[in-house]
Amino acid sequence: MGEIVIERLTKHFGQTRVIPGISLSIAQGEFCVFVGPSGCGKSTLLRLIAGLETATSGTIRIDGRDVTALEPYDRSLSMVFQSYALYPHMTVRENIAFALRTAKRPEAEIREKVAEAARMLQLDPYLDRRPAALSGGQRQRVAIGRAVVRHPAAFLFDEPLSNLDAALRSDMRLEIARLHRDLGATMVYVTHDQIEAMTLADRIVVLNGGRIMQAGSPRELYDRPANTFVAQFIGSPRMNLIPQAALGLGPAGAAQVGLRPEDLRIAPAGPLTGRVDALEYHGADLSVFVDCGAGGRVNLRAPGMLDLAPGATVALAFDQDRAHFFDADGNRL
Ligand SMILES: Nc1ncnc2c1ncn2[C@@H]1O[C@H](COP(=O)(O)OP(=O)(O)O)[C@@H](O)[C@H]1O
Ligand SMILES: [Mg+2]
């Protein structure tokens, strides 16, 4: 259960073509993350799958059934939003039970499913509280609990962790990963945060302007980005793109050479030299920004204990097999 097949899906709002055309298959049980900059159409695509937006053309099938024209409730999907959308006057228990109550499920079944969700999400101590008496992370767990009790074919998440602070976000990331393991359900997860994408996804779909720039495992995207957009979107700090002419390196047609900050090192000699113009100390490591003239401003990751001052002249070296080459259109060679 939970295979989602999207074919030539488009969405226009008036004259604005938000999704010019997407085809994508999401396997049963897969954790698929849509990532991309703000406004690239992630939420629109998710809302189309959910049935909260009507497709302009194309089809969406869930487990072989064409759901393109069906109402959200008839698609056996559950959606979790960034704004938890809890009912403030209801207790946690009532919030979690709400969809089952509306569907007039038997009382015993409601009790059992609420208990199961509460256990899975560690909400037992809070079942009689109202949302106002919960922390942000607890509220988001209640929102997820409301989705879990419906036993949907797939879960759809739209930036569920964006309202949480950094520490809670990383706890919740682990919890969502565990939930995926426990339930084995298909999860489609939208985020603009590439760390969430990298840590949660079986497969990442990178979107830009309503188009798929690349879809693949986190490792595939990191090791072999298909274009400069993906190269600079995945990986933090982002990949340096150095004009080929400044390095004189690479296959015919290479216009830019991509080097990740972690693949560069300060060496006695190297193909790039420049002046250190800024340093950012992170503790374990040090971000060094080097003005390499025609090579541009290059960022490298050095060990935190490195003793370096702005203004120093340094040479940068790298292993050639760590270099990525892109043509003038930004496509990988
Ligand atoms: N109801 C709407 N009417 C008109 N334009 C919309 C509507 N919803 C979204 N858009 C536009 O579609 C684009 C994609 O939006 P969205 O899917 O929310 O992006 P994301 O979730 O990636 O930030 C944006 O330019 C947005 O302004
Ligand atoms: Mg959005």
Side-chain angles (χ1 to χ4, degrees):
M1 279 241 301
E3 182 202 41
I4 302 172
V5 177
I6 297 165
E7 267 170 344
R8 297 190 302 277
L9 189 67
T10 72
K11 177 64 181 175
H12 304 177
F13 290 108
Q15 295 302 304
T16 322
R17 299 202 307 172
V18 173
I19 309 281
I22 280 189
S23 296
L24 176 72
S25 293
I26 301 169
Q28 175 178 331
E30 184 173 348
F31 201 126
C32 181
V33 175
F34 298 163
V35 72
S38 178
C40 73
K42 304 179 294 293
S43 294
T44 302
L45 183 55
L46 199 71
R47 292 169 59 82
L48 284 164
I49 297 172
L52 298 170
E53 298 285 359
T54 312
T56 303
S57 67
T59 58
I60 302 168
R61 277 178 289 137
I62 298 174
D63 295 322
R65 186 169 65 123
D66 187 340
V67 302
T68 320
L70 295 186
E71 291 298 316
Y73 198 82
D74 297 325
R75 298 190 181 200
S76 45
L77 303 170
S78 283
M79 187 137 169
V80 179
F81 300 92
Q82 172 181 349
S83 64
Y84 320 114
L86 301 179
Y87 298 108
H89 59 287
M90 292 185 190
T91 63
V92 167
R93 187 191 312 280
E94 289 160 353
N95 264 286
I96 296 177
F98 185 76
L100 302 174
R101 280 253 140 71
T102 310
K104 302 206 163 38
R105 304 306 306 166
E107 200 53 42
E109 178 191 326
I110 295 178
R111 219 173 309 119
E112 186 187 318
K113 285 187 170 163
V114 170
E116 181 196 22
R119 181 166 31 75
M120 204 174 259
L121 293 158
Q122 288 140 41
L123 284 169
D124 293 300
Y126 313 110
L127 283 170
D128 296 314
R129 287 202 198 169
R130 295 222 156 88
L134 299 175
S135 70
Q138 290 161 347
R139 283 178 210 174
Q140 192 51 282
R141 293 215 296 269
V142 177
I144 295 170
R146 285 204 311 194
V148 165
V149 291
R150 295 181 51 201
H151 288 204
F155 289 83
L156 309 179
F157 293 93
D158 194 353
E159 311 235 12
L161 309 186
S162 294
N163 286 350
L164 307 178
D165 65 38
L168 254 179
R169 267 210 306 275
S170 79
D171 290 349
M172 284 299 292
R173 265 203 325 262
L174 292 170
E175 247 176 77
I176 289 175
R178 187 174 47 75
L179 193 69
H180 179 243
R181 271 200 314 279
D182 290 353
L183 297 172
T186 307
M187 293 191 172
V188 188
Y189 188 106
V190 162
T191 180
H192 64 274
D193 179 326
Q194 54 113 353
I195 296 176
E196 271 173 40
M198 291 293 274
T199 51
L200 287 170
D202 293 319
R203 192 159 54 123
I204 299 177
V205 177
V206 181
L207 295 170
N208 187 30
R211 295 178 196 277
I212 297 179
M213 303 305 285
Q214 189 174 5
S217 71
R219 263 176 218 281
E220 278 161 4
L221 267 54
Y222 184 79
D223 289 341
R224 294 189 55 80
N227 46 59
T228 50
F229 182 85
V230 175
Q232 292 207 301
F233 199 82
I234 301 290
S236 175
R238 66 192 195 150
M239 185 188 281
N240 298 290
L241 290 178
I242 298 165
Q244 192 274 343
L247 278 168
L249 175 77
Q256 288 181 294
V257 182
L259 287 165
R260 296 202 182 275
E262 56 272 37
D263 291 329
L264 284 159
R265 60 182 181 275
I266 294 173
L272 284 166
T273 53
R275 203 178 134 273
V276 174
D277 75 1
L279 296 161
E280 273 179 359
Y281 178 67
H282 301 287
D285 49 44
L286 181 70
S287 267
V288 186
F289 298 86
V290 182
D291 178 0
C292 293
R297 194 167 189 254
V298 174
N299 177 11
L300 78 121
R301 184 182 298 166
M305 73 267 269
L306 187 75
D307 189 17
L308 198 64
T313 297
V314 292
L316 307 182
F318 55 90
D319 296 334
Q320 287 210 16
D321 63 358
R322 301 304 299 168
H324 306 256
F325 299 102
F326 302 98
D327 67 17
D329 297 325
N331 292 314
R332 183 182 193 86
L333 289 167

